[in-house]
Amino acid sequence: MKRLALGIIDAQRGFMPANEGIRLNLPGFGELPVERGELIVPNINKLFKAYEILEHTIFTTQDWHPGVTAHFSEQPNFTTTWPIHCVGGTPGAELHPAIAIPRSTERFRKGMEVLKRGEDDQSYSGNNGINDKGIQLGKRLLELGVTEVTLGGLALDYCVGKTALDLRRMDFDVVIAIDATSGIAEESVNSMLKQFNEHDIKITSTDEILVQMETA
Ligand code: VGL
């Protein structure tokens, strides 16, 4: 039997446009803004609601970086080094406040390691995230008997994409809710979409998922 999970990756203030912080009069927005990041929030909420009603597994991940790490740079190249964002315990690391997080949501944190220059950066994949018991995401999903994971969040070409590829490698069926995610750059988005295609990761929309769930 298929067992479903919905995962929202890094839908954090730090990855949302600065305008959104001005609109809401809240700090932490726009640290590493993903264009149109705020537009995914209503779709995330629709998906959360549907998965909650049907009692499927729901999880979120959060980048939870130390203040000083080689993941950050004052001259970021926006492919391997980035402006300071989502430092654990700061407003930028909080999820967007308009996201209605269901009570059953399991939260995973990642990127806590102090990365040294030139070191392999493991912080992108939500699969390297741990819950409050220290259990890694993929292992936890196996424990729960999940077979299919639908993903949204930020950013499509980095953390959402790496999470999708890692979970697919673990043999989960993986689906991307394309209108519940947004990307940083066109080139890296296109390269990620190509990898999705090569690894049989499916692309769908929020409405399509909701219709399917209603008729299942
Ligand atoms: C992310 C770039 C740097 C992401 C995190 O959440 O996709 N992207 N750090």
Side-chain angles (χ1 to χ4, degrees):
M1 206 183 81
K2 262 207 320 196
R3 287 189 75 123
L4 308 186
L6 171 67
I8 300 301
I9 306 300
D10 302 4
Q12 293 165 274
R13 292 189 198 182
F15 293 122
M16 300 282 172
N19 282 346
E20 188 69 352
I22 293 166
R23 188 175 75 81
L24 298 167
N25 194 24
L26 286 171
F29 287 79
E31 293 170 337
L32 168 45
V34 181
E35 257 182 75
R36 296 182 297 280
E38 78 285 13
L39 302 181
I40 72 176
V41 171
N43 292 329
I44 289 173
N45 285 340
K46 284 186 203 170
L47 292 169
F48 269 161
K49 205 176 220 175
Y51 275 72
E52 186 187 26
I53 289 169
L54 295 172
E55 297 180 1
H56 295 308
T57 297
I58 297 172
F59 66 90
T60 58
T61 68
Q62 278 162 282
D63 247 359
W64 203 260
H65 292 305
V68 179
T69 166
H71 186 69
F72 300 151
S73 167
E74 277 171 30
Q75 275 100 36
N77 62 17
F78 290 90
T79 47
T80 59
T81 57
W82 308 92
I84 293 178
H85 61 272
C86 302
V87 172
T90 68
E94 293 306 311
L95 297 181
H96 188 298
I99 295 177
I101 305 161
R103 200 172 334 156
S104 64
T105 304
E106 220 169 285
R107 297 174 79 138
F108 291 80
R109 289 173 175 176
K110 64 186 177 68
M112 284 87 88
E113 309 75 21
V114 177
L115 189 73
K116 296 196 187 67
R117 199 168 293 276
E119 217 174 7
D120 187 27
D121 193 340
Q122 302 284 324
S123 72
Y124 299 103
S125 174
N127 197 40
N128 294 325
I130 53 171
N131 66 9
D132 57 4
K133 296 188 180 70
I135 301 173
Q136 231 173 306
L137 175 64
K139 186 168 175 232
R140 179 67 183 137
L141 294 174
L142 286 177
E143 267 179 19
L144 292 165
V146 167
T147 60
E148 181 184 296
V149 186
T150 295
L151 295 175
L154 299 173
L156 177 61
D157 36 353
Y158 288 91
C159 290
V160 176
K162 297 271 190 191
T163 306
L165 290 166
D166 270 0
L167 292 176
R168 186 71 198 109
R169 227 167 271 134
M170 289 182 74
D171 224 22
F172 292 102
D173 289 325
V174 179
V175 179
I176 307 292
I178 199 72
D179 54 2
T181 178
S182 192
I184 292 177
E186 194 180 331
E187 197 183 327
S188 41
V189 166
N190 288 339
S191 135
M192 191 54 81
L193 292 175
K194 189 162 158 261
Q195 290 186 70
F196 289 167
N197 188 38
E198 284 163 5
H199 293 277
D200 200 21
I201 291 169
K202 293 180 191 65
I203 308 279
T204 184
S205 68
T206 298
D207 281 350
E208 220 172 297
I209 293 167
L210 297 182
V211 166
Q212 250 180 33
M213 287 177 89
E214 274 164 23
T215 55

